[in-house]
Amino acid sequence: MAGEHVYVENLGQYDGRAVTVKGWIYHKRSSGKIQFLVVRDGTGIVQCVVLKNEVSEEIFALAQRLTQESAVEVTGTVRSDKRAPGGYELTLTGVNLVHLAEEYPITPKEHGVEFLMDHRHLWLRSRRQHAVLRIRSTLIKACRDFLDDRGFILVDSPILTPAAVEGTTTLFETDYFDTKAYLSQSGQLYSEAAAMAVGKAYCFGPTFRAEKSKTRRHLMEFWMIEPEVAFATSETNMDLQEQFVSYIVQTVLEQRKPELELLERELSKLDAVRPPFPRISYDEAVERLQQAGSDIIWGEDLGGDDETVLANQFDRPVMVYNYPTAIKAFYMQPNPERPEVVLCNDMLAPEGYGEIIGGGQRIHDYDLLRQRLSEHNLPEEPYRWYLDLRRYGSVPHAGFGMGIERTVAWICGLQHVRETIPFARMLNRIYP
Ligand code: NSS
């Protein structure tokens, strides 16, 4: 008797009934007259019991031949069983083999990270990776819901661009017919144009940086969400960031508790992520670091270790504002009382996960922006349109960019960003 096709996550609604599950053999074991096939279908895993006395010889023999990751359609009766993962088990009456898998390279034994990254296309099938993928998916939806519900308009920015946003040393260059183009480092400049059009805008997409750094926080290709608000200041920009980050963390905590538990994430640490977040100036950050024994001097950028030391002083993300003008991007608005610092901020995640947000108030004065382009040795031509925004109804405005992968790494409690994106692009890795 073939049952209705049911996803594992819904088996509870079919107790006692005949159903068909379509999926892959996760693992199996047998003891003579009884075989246990553990089948995963993407929504969950279910243990299937094959009893020698209750199925035909062909079916029992077929079950014995099944290899790890073979694709199957199994039919059986749903039985509730408290000991079973998910609370239900299937007593099989039929097995249809869709594809017999070759010997699978990823086995329950420990594999090195390079091996797993080489087999990333298969590694995605493991339960831990499912958990991360689901959390990432929920996080992205939460980001978009937060902004959509507050009247922000999604305005996509281009990937191929004529201009640098975050310095010229990390640009990926490509031919663009008879000229050059770069892969976008950030959609910010276009988000600013969008904010001048619709008031509150955001872009969300992949961004690219040829960073010659092999750290656990750097990818060559990462996803960034970049809200931008007309008439906003650095202050209101920080208010928005803390609301945004609290919302997405609490939403993931609510909707993805089983996944977080599977990853052995300490949930109380995430529960603490509620406004207000501490805000300290760059000056204070340097003092705190010096007191903690760092040899940082005023004017230097915070290194990864500095960020960890600072973040460890707080139980929720900390915002560091007003960095030295000299170490920041060309577009940042100077503090009117102290032009040696700019009205920007970074947000550092707790527990050593580092900077997840960079943002601030943008220069809205035409002449100052031109002057900065020249001080940063940037050609004016590719930024002509960007300068135009300062010629027609220019207003103070601010925004920020949050890196999805670093945020997922923090929420999931993963040591390295490579597991937070389906197919990581890293220094020396573009396969698979
Ligand atoms: O360089 S940022 O600090 N800021 C910007 O790109 C601004 N133009 C954003 C804006 O104001 N609209 O990068 C922002 C975030 C940073 O905090 C990280 O979370 C992430 O982007 N980021 C990265 N994630 C992974 N790998 C790399 N290489 C990386 N670089 C930045």
Side-chain angles (χ1 to χ4, degrees):
M1 179 176 54
E4 184 186 337
H5 175 204
V6 170
Y7 283 100
V8 171
E9 66 182 356
N10 298 326
L11 282 177
Q13 298 159 28
Y14 293 81
D15 195 9
R17 289 165 59 187
V19 300
T20 296
V21 167
K22 303 184 183 193
W24 299 263
I25 302 293
Y26 200 55
H27 51 82
K28 52 180 255 185
R29 64 201 155 83
S30 73
S31 54
K33 294 195 162 112
I34 180 164
Q35 295 184 64
F36 299 96
L37 308 177
V38 177
V39 176
R40 61 168 193 89
D41 76 344
T43 71
I45 63 169
V46 62
Q47 172 163 285
C48 306
V49 186
V50 192
L51 297 163
K52 190 163 189 157
N53 297 337
E54 300 198 4
V55 295
S56 69
E57 257 174 53
E58 288 87 347
I59 289 189
F60 198 79
L62 173 60
Q64 271 172 326
R65 275 174 52 221
L66 293 175
T67 50
Q68 187 184 348
E69 286 303 316
S70 285
V72 289
E73 294 168 348
V74 293
T75 297
T77 312
V78 181
R79 308 218 182 275
S80 90
D81 181 341
K82 288 212 170 55
R83 292 159 307 169
Y88 294 88
E89 210 178 62
L90 279 186
T91 308
L92 290 201
T93 52
V95 177
N96 178 34
L97 176 62
V98 180
H99 180 248
L100 189 68
E102 293 176 34
E103 195 180 335
Y104 196 63
I106 303 179
T107 57
K109 74 165 198 196
E110 286 275 316
H111 296 284
V113 154
E114 286 307 313
F115 178 87
L116 290 171
M117 287 304 284
D118 282 341
H119 293 86
R120 183 64 175 163
H121 49 297
L122 303 177
W123 189 19
L124 291 179
R125 301 180 184 194
S126 78
R127 292 176 78 190
R128 265 180 71 84
Q129 299 307 317
H130 283 185
V132 178
L133 290 175
R134 283 166 192 276
I135 288 168
R136 179 185 171 103
S137 173
T138 298
L139 174 107
I140 289 172
K141 181 171 184 326
C143 290
R144 295 212 40 201
D145 284 347
F146 178 92
L147 295 169
D148 294 347
D149 292 349
R150 282 160 188 77
F152 283 73
I153 307 293
L154 174 69
V155 182
D156 302 309
S157 57
I159 303 287
L160 289 165
T161 67
V165 185
E166 298 296 332
T168 50
T169 56
T170 62
L171 286 170
F172 276 110
E173 193 180 287
T174 178
D175 287 334
Y176 194 76
F177 305 105
D178 48 3
T179 170
K180 295 276 179 222
Y182 308 110
L183 298 183
S184 175
Q185 295 171 309
S186 156
Q188 177 197 318
L189 308 189
Y190 298 95
S191 245
E192 289 182 53
M196 295 306 128
V198 300
K200 290 186 278 187
Y202 69 103
C203 62
F204 176 53
T207 45
F208 306 84
R209 297 201 191 167
E211 314 231 29
K212 297 259 157 52
S213 35
K214 204 171 182 173
T215 77
R216 56 199 179 88
R217 295 173 185 173
H218 285 93
L219 294 165
M220 304 303 119
E221 178 177 322
F222 61 97
W223 286 67
M224 187 157 42
I225 189 151
E226 300 183 76
E228 193 71 30
V229 180
F231 299 100
T233 62
S234 182
E235 285 294 313
T236 60
N237 193 33
M238 287 192 274
D239 297 341
L240 183 67
Q241 289 167 41
E242 70 185 4
Q243 295 294 332
F244 179 72
V245 170
S246 308
Y247 175 84
I248 62 178
V249 170
Q250 296 313 319
T251 302
V252 171
L253 189 51
E254 237 167 66
Q255 298 180 4
R256 291 293 173 204
K257 201 168 258 165
E259 287 80 3
L260 291 166
E261 280 167 352
L262 188 137
L263 295 169
E264 296 173 31
R265 185 65 169 105
E266 211 177 317
L267 301 183
S268 62
K269 293 254 161 69
L270 297 179
D271 192 57
V273 180
R274 296 168 190 274
F277 293 176
R279 299 179 188 192
I280 61 172
S281 67
Y282 168 86
D283 303 343
E284 182 181 340
V286 169
E287 273 167 34
R288 280 173 179 263
L289 287 168
Q290 288 170 341
Q291 272 162 22
S294 164
D295 50 14
I296 188 170
I297 50 172
W298 198 98
E300 290 176 351
D301 208 355
L302 307 185
D305 293 341
D306 296 321
E307 289 177 358
T308 301
V309 170
L310 271 184
N312 282 343
Q313 301 183 351
F314 305 96
D315 71 340
R316 58 197 79 193
V318 52
M319 294 188 273
V320 182
Y321 60 88
N322 290 11
Y323 281 71
T325 310
I327 55 168
K328 285 292 180 184
F330 72 93
Y331 52 74
M332 294 205 178
Q333 173 72 17
N335 183 333
E337 280 125 48
R338 273 181 76 196
E340 72 277 15
V341 299
V342 278
L343 299 177
C344 69
N345 81 280
D346 283 354
M347 184 187 288
L348 313 180
E351 304 170 73
Y353 288 95
E355 180 206 318
I356 53 169
I357 283 182
Q361 203 174 314
R362 328 301 192 186
I363 292 175
H364 57 277
D365 180 72
Y366 179 80
D367 293 327
L368 179 59
L369 187 57
R370 274 193 74 202
Q371 183 193 323
R372 281 284 198 272
L373 283 171
S374 132
E375 285 166 7
H376 283 253
N377 294 317
L378 294 166
E380 207 169 294
E381 179 54 23
Y383 298 91
R384 212 165 16 95
W385 66 272
Y386 185 62
L387 284 162
D388 263 359
L389 304 176
R390 279 73 182 168
R391 295 172 65 204
Y392 307 105
S394 188
V395 299
H397 60 287
F400 65 90
M402 188 189 79
I404 297 294
E405 289 74 20
R406 288 195 194 166
T407 308
V408 172
W410 162 45
I411 293 178
C412 291
L414 301 174
Q415 276 312 301
H416 200 294
V417 287
R418 68 185 156 225
E419 281 182 65
T420 64
I421 186 163
F423 295 96
R425 296 292 170 246
M426 301 191 300
L427 198 60
N428 307 327
R429 174 177 291 285
I430 195 167
Y431 179 93

